[in-house]
């Protein structure tokens, strides 16, 4: 436990050690790194490195003790910093929205590669959360018309903040019915990082992930519920030759490829993330006349 009283008047180095030791005792895997980030946030030293020199004020001490207690209770570090990096963007995050994962950059890169040469493609990011995928596409394909769709009110609030000042459009809707509002063949590329954890995985979450919204994680008993719905309902909104790009769990690519084939999707391929795990599945919609499943 680090208390405000113990931290008040302490130098930054002593505060760093105290926070690191408290986080270590709580079982945080990267205690030293997390301590550095929390001290930096509480002192505001990113803005002015000279602040490392001054003893902690009572206010800084109270701020740091509160952040340390939350991290010791295994809240994600990103929630305590209020932001998270993704594809060179800095996104606002906090309780109620899924923290963007480095693995998901593979999904963004796959979409950006598929859009190469397209001047002004229409792009939909479904289950957008922070908006990381749609915002990354907008950044690297500046001519794109990107719409991010999110259902949960807390996550939608982060999405709107992250999209502010960009051309990205935000829609609050449930992707399981939103397709009904879309014209046939209007989209060039649809990307989605749906909830895909199995019931068994939901029952054994890492402590940090357990603080994140279940609505962003739980994909039903076998984790595949959203893939079934997306591969059935998002054929029509894509133009012929367009692409659907899905994030998948490391073990799910074969099942998602099989569902895609059953639904008539073509030219499917899998991309691996930097850890070597299958992470993105991309496929093109069936020819217009095809009526499958
Ligand atoms: N990759 C996330 C995790 O394992 C899950 C994200 C998701 O369900 N879309 O925590």
């Amino acid at each position: 436990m680090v208390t405000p009283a113990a931290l008040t008047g302490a130098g930054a180095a002593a505060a760093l050690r105290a926070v690191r030791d408290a986080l270590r005792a709580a079982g945080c895997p990267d205690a030293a790194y997390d301590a550095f980030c929390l001290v930096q946030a509480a002192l505001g030293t990113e803005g002015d490195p000279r602040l490392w020199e001054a003893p902690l004020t009572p206010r800084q001490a109270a701020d740091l003790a509160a952040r340390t207690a939350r991290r010791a209770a295994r809240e994600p570090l990103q929630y305590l910093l209020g932001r998270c990096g993704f594809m060179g963007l800095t996104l606002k995050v906090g309780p109620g929205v899924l923290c963007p994962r480095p693995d998901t950059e593979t999904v963004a890169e796959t979409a950006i590669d598929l859009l190469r040469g397209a001047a002004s493609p229409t792009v939909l990011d479904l289950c957008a959360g922070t908006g990381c995928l749609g915002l990354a596409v907008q950044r690297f394909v500046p001519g794109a018309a990107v719409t991010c769709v999110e259902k949960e009110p807390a996550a939608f609030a982060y999405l709107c903040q992250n999209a502010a000042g960009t051309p990205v459009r935000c829609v609050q809707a449930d992707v399981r019915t939103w397709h009904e509002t879309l014209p046939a063949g209007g989209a060039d590329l649809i990307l989605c990082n749906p909830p895909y954890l199995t019931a068994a995985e939901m029952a054994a979450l890492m402590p940090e992930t357990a603080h994140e919204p279940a609505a962003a994680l739980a994909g039903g008993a076998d984790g595949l519920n959203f893939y079934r719905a997306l591969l059935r309902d998002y054929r029509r909104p894509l133009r012929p030759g367009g692409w659907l790009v899905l994030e998948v769990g490391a073990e799910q690519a074969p099942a998602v490829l099989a569902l895609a084939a059953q639904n008539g999707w073509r030219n499917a391929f899998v991309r691996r993330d930097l850890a070597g795990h299958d992470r993105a599945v991309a496929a093109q919609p069936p020819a217009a006349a095809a009526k499958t499943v």
Side-chain angles (χ1 to χ4, degrees):
M1 258 306 258
V2 288
T3 61
L7 291 174
T8 301
L16 264 177
R17 279 193 299 275
V19 172
R20 179 200 63 196
D21 292 348
L23 297 184
R24 233 175 231 164
C28 294
D30 297 307
Y33 175 76
D34 291 7
F36 175 76
C37 293
L38 294 182
V39 171
Q40 195 173 48
L43 270 60
T45 47
E46 257 175 324
D48 182 353
R50 284 171 303 180
L51 294 172
W52 283 111
E53 310 291 332
L56 271 69
T57 65
R59 196 187 160 131
Q60 289 171 329
D63 179 332
L64 182 57
R67 288 184 209 247
T68 303
R70 287 175 62 187
R71 184 69 194 102
R74 307 297 295 272
E75 265 196 64
L77 177 68
Q78 297 93 322
Y79 281 5
L80 301 170
L81 303 178
R83 57 177 203 271
C84 181
F86 185 84
M87 298 284 289
L89 301 164
T90 300
L91 300 171
K92 291 201 166 109
V93 297
V97 73
L98 189 78
C99 300
R101 316 291 207 244
D103 300 341
T104 301
E105 294 191 341
T106 299
V107 183
E109 286 165 354
T110 303
I112 292 162
D113 286 350
L114 290 169
L115 289 170
R116 192 155 291 152
S120 53
T122 296
V123 176
L124 311 177
D125 174 8
L126 310 178
C127 309
T130 55
C132 59
L133 285 172
L135 288 161
V137 168
Q138 185 73 72
R139 176 181 170 156
F140 288 95
V141 187
V146 179
T147 301
C148 288
V149 185
E150 173 55 47
K151 165 169 157 279
E152 297 298 323
F156 187 69
Y158 288 104
L159 171 61
C160 294
Q161 289 182 54
N162 286 324
T166 79
V168 168
R169 194 168 73 100
C170 303
V171 173
Q172 190 172 10
D174 186 337
V175 303
R176 287 167 296 189
T177 50
W178 188 64
H179 59 91
E180 293 163 8
T181 70
L182 297 173
D188 294 285
L189 186 140
I190 298 176
L191 68 173
C192 181
N193 174 14
Y196 58 65
L197 299 188
T198 66
E201 287 167 334
M202 287 302 292
L205 292 175
M206 280 171 51
E208 283 77 8
T209 313
H211 283 87
E212 296 185 279
L217 296 165
D222 65 357
L224 301 174
N225 281 0
F226 274 78
Y227 301 114
R228 289 191 191 89
L230 294 166
L231 291 165
R232 183 188 62 218
D233 296 331
Y234 283 87
R235 294 175 290 191
R236 192 186 61 84
L238 272 173
R239 71 164 170 80
W243 287 96
L244 177 66
V245 182
L246 299 170
E247 175 159 332
V248 297
E251 313 287 325
Q252 288 172 324
V256 173
L257 287 170
L259 282 168
Q262 279 166 34
N263 284 279
W265 293 80
R266 303 186 299 178
N267 301 325
F269 66 91
V270 178
R271 277 265 188 105
R272 292 193 174 159
D273 63 25
L274 292 177
H277 298 126
D278 289 346
R279 189 57 63 195
V281 170
Q284 295 188 291
K291 277 261 178 284
T292 39
V293 191

